[in-house]
Amino acid sequence: MKNVVFISPNFPTNYWQFCFHLKENGMNVLGIGDQPYEELAQNVRDSLNEYYKVSSLENSDEVYRAVAFFIFKYGRIDWLESNNEYWLERDAKLRTDFHITSGFQEEDVPRIKYKSKMKAYYAKAKIPTARYHMVDDLEGCRTFIQEVGYPVIVKPDNGVGASHTYKLGDEEQLKRFLEGKEEDIPYIMEEFIDAEVNSYDAIIDSKGEPMFETGNVTPYSIMDIVNNEDNSLYYIVKHLADDTRKAGRAAVKSFGVKSRFVHFEFFRLLKDQPIGKKGDVVALEVNMRPCGGFTPDMINYAHSTDVYKIWADMVAFDRSTKPVGAHEYCAFVGLRDGKDFVMSHEDIMAKYGSQIKMADRIPDVLAGAMGNRMYVGAFKTKKELDTFYKDLLEVRKG
């Protein structure tokens, strides 16, 4: 029986399903989290063989001792994972410390977490990337901007999501950014790319081959959604585009991905630009974990499958026992509080109730990027998908 340590099985709230299928596949599932055991949801408890509570998952020593305890009690740990961007570096350090060889090690972190380091691996895969400059002083940034022009994008070189990401449109904004940024955080500056985000989402086996592939499209900038407190929307594609699949597979090989659920983000150009022609796929960044929020559930709705099960099969058997069924688009809409939408919740459910898969409040910790109230719906055609978005996003005028 394999021993699997799963970090934070209770959050995000849908991640217990990874543990459930691990246990179902005969794994010994050992959870580490900071929520008292008696407060865990029943489905989380049922998915674990044992749970170790720490006072805080931020406390490295406590988490280290928790893993050491599990090794003392159960023997060698075969797998350690959180599937969470926030803990990827911690996961890698714990694997290195305890000689757990089934995932990325501490030495792998720079290429999978630092946006500047990713570019060499994209180049190896022959995938174009935006020109960039590591933020230093005003003169250095000016020199770069003279080459690429305004606007430019600045973001932490090692960051999660779109937090602390800004579009700078002139020198006054550049000066304000340089004066206000945190000194101890390295920032990367890139030329602005006019594009929508197309992702490659896949579960990769131990040989670096895809067991399952799909993708999503985000028509609007996540950076703008966060910074402007706008509504959020994206959708799972009915069928993955061939060029996205090709780029995703090339990136998997270049970055040396094995035995992982990945979410790679690409730009699809909306017009001709120095980096490429309209419609071309160019690199944005790699994320060595599932797409966030409720996207795994949306993938399941779009493809009549269960990616939690496919991932657990990869861990247990290095092959999938879960078939993929009929394909649809699956749409996400995250609506902001305080906006005067034309359609009420009752209106939405009356018109789309048979197609709505999820409708709920979004946890506050995720609301910055996703909105406050979400609706997830499945649709057979792009026309139906577009009408759904138009209806839900319409606000009263005046």
Side-chain angles (χ1 to χ4, degrees):
M1 178 184 290
K2 286 185 179 179
N3 293 318
V4 180
V5 170
F6 200 95
I7 309 292
S8 188
N10 55 312
F11 188 85
T13 55
N14 47 339
Y15 273 25
W16 65 271
Q17 296 176 80
F18 289 119
C19 298
F20 172 83
H21 289 295
L22 286 171
K23 190 175 180 183
E24 184 183 56
N25 284 346
M27 307 290 98
N28 192 36
V29 187
L30 310 168
I32 300 174
D34 53 14
Q35 187 174 12
Y37 180 78
E38 59 274 13
E39 294 178 12
L40 295 176
Q42 191 62 49
N43 49 25
V44 179
R45 294 194 216 180
D46 292 343
S47 301
L48 303 173
N49 293 88
E50 187 164 347
Y51 179 74
Y52 189 112
K53 181 195 174 299
V54 295
S55 64
S56 170
L57 285 171
E58 300 279 2
N59 188 318
S60 302
D61 290 340
E62 277 194 80
V63 177
Y64 182 96
R65 288 197 295 271
V67 178
F69 169 77
F70 283 144
I71 291 173
F72 171 77
K73 185 170 181 179
Y74 296 102
R76 183 171 66 89
I77 302 299
D78 300 283
W79 211 280
L80 183 145
E81 190 55 77
S82 68
N83 278 337
N84 191 319
E85 182 76 28
Y86 193 79
W87 303 118
L88 285 188
E89 292 179 70
R90 170 76 59 75
D91 294 348
K93 179 164 176 36
L94 286 168
R95 291 191 202 101
T96 301
D97 289 344
F98 290 104
H99 308 291
I100 303 166
T101 59
S102 53
F104 286 120
Q105 304 294 299
E106 200 168 9
E107 67 181 14
D108 299 314
V109 166
R111 80 172 189 272
I112 66 173
K113 285 287 291 175
Y114 288 83
K115 296 171 180 65
S116 59
K117 305 290 186 187
M118 295 176 188
K119 291 181 182 286
Y121 293 88
Y122 282 127
K124 183 179 167 186
K126 297 181 169 54
I127 303 171
T129 60
R131 290 171 287 179
Y132 78 102
H133 170 74
M134 295 308 298
V135 172
D136 44 14
D137 55 18
L138 181 60
E139 286 307 312
C141 292
R142 273 178 177 161
T143 300
F144 173 70
I145 293 168
Q146 284 173 358
E147 177 189 352
V148 303
Y150 282 109
V152 291
I153 303 298
V154 289
K155 52 192 172 184
D157 194 26
N158 179 11
V160 179
S163 59
H164 303 287
T165 299
Y166 309 103
K167 183 199 288 188
L168 307 180
D170 55 39
E171 185 157 316
E172 185 59 37
Q173 292 180 0
L174 171 62
K175 288 178 178 176
R176 284 204 303 269
F177 164 72
L178 291 173
E179 290 168 1
K181 75 178 183 69
E182 295 182 53
E183 289 299 324
D184 58 341
I185 297 180
Y187 273 80
I188 184 172
M189 176 181 287
E190 294 182 319
E191 65 180 314
F192 174 72
I193 306 296
D194 190 358
E196 68 178 15
V197 175
N198 287 209
S199 78
Y200 173 79
D201 296 83
I203 298 170
I204 308 299
D205 70 14
S206 67
K207 296 180 273 306
E209 299 298 328
M211 293 170 50
F212 173 84
E213 298 169 300
T214 187
N216 67 54
V217 172
T218 305
Y220 301 110
S221 163
I222 293 293
M223 172 189 65
D224 291 340
I225 290 168
V226 172
N227 292 338
N228 302 335
E229 295 187 342
D230 207 347
N231 304 308
S232 171
L233 64 121
Y234 67 98
Y235 60 90
I236 308 299
V237 296
K238 188 172 183 177
H239 299 289
L240 184 62
D242 289 341
D243 53 1
T244 307
R245 187 190 309 274
K246 181 180 178 182
R249 290 183 177 184
V252 164
K253 296 298 184 187
S254 183
F255 281 87
V257 179
K258 295 179 180 178
S259 304
R260 290 205 71 77
F261 201 145
V262 298
H263 170 65
F264 292 174
E265 294 177 332
F266 297 95
F267 282 132
R268 186 175 296 280
L269 303 185
L270 295 176
K271 64 181 183 182
D272 291 355
Q273 294 161 72
I275 198 172
K277 300 291 187 182
K278 180 180 178 180
D280 285 355
V281 170
V282 302
L284 175 52
E285 64 183 54
V286 295
N287 298 282
M288 299 297 179
R289 42 77 182 170
C291 189
F294 303 96
T295 308
D297 303 283
M298 291 172 59
I299 293 172
N300 291 344
Y301 298 133
H303 302 297
S304 307
T305 191
D306 189 335
V307 291
Y308 301 103
K309 169 66 172 166
I310 296 172
W311 179 84
D313 285 351
M314 178 270 293
V315 174
F317 316 122
D318 204 28
R319 59 181 174 79
S320 176
T321 64
K322 183 66 180 178
V324 175
H327 299 284
E328 294 187 289
Y329 296 96
C330 189
F332 174 93
V333 179
L335 303 178
R336 292 284 180 193
D337 290 344
K339 295 181 182 289
D340 190 13
F341 294 103
V342 170
M343 293 188 77
S344 66
H345 172 73
E346 290 72 24
D347 295 333
I348 294 169
M349 297 308 294
K351 181 170 182 179
Y352 291 107
S354 63
Q355 293 160 298
I356 295 290
K357 302 296 185 180
M358 304 173 74
D360 208 344
R361 295 288 298 178
I362 296 172
D364 289 344
V365 70
L366 301 175
M370 299 179 67
N372 304 104
R373 184 163 49 101
M374 73 163 185
Y375 295 89
V376 170
F379 303 92
K380 296 188 186 308
T381 68
K382 183 68 162 50
K383 183 178 179 181
E384 290 178 301
L385 174 87
D386 291 340
T387 301
F388 176 70
Y389 280 140
K390 181 176 180 295
D391 283 350
L392 268 65
L393 296 173
E394 186 177 3
V395 295
R396 289 187 174 82
K397 296 182 172 59

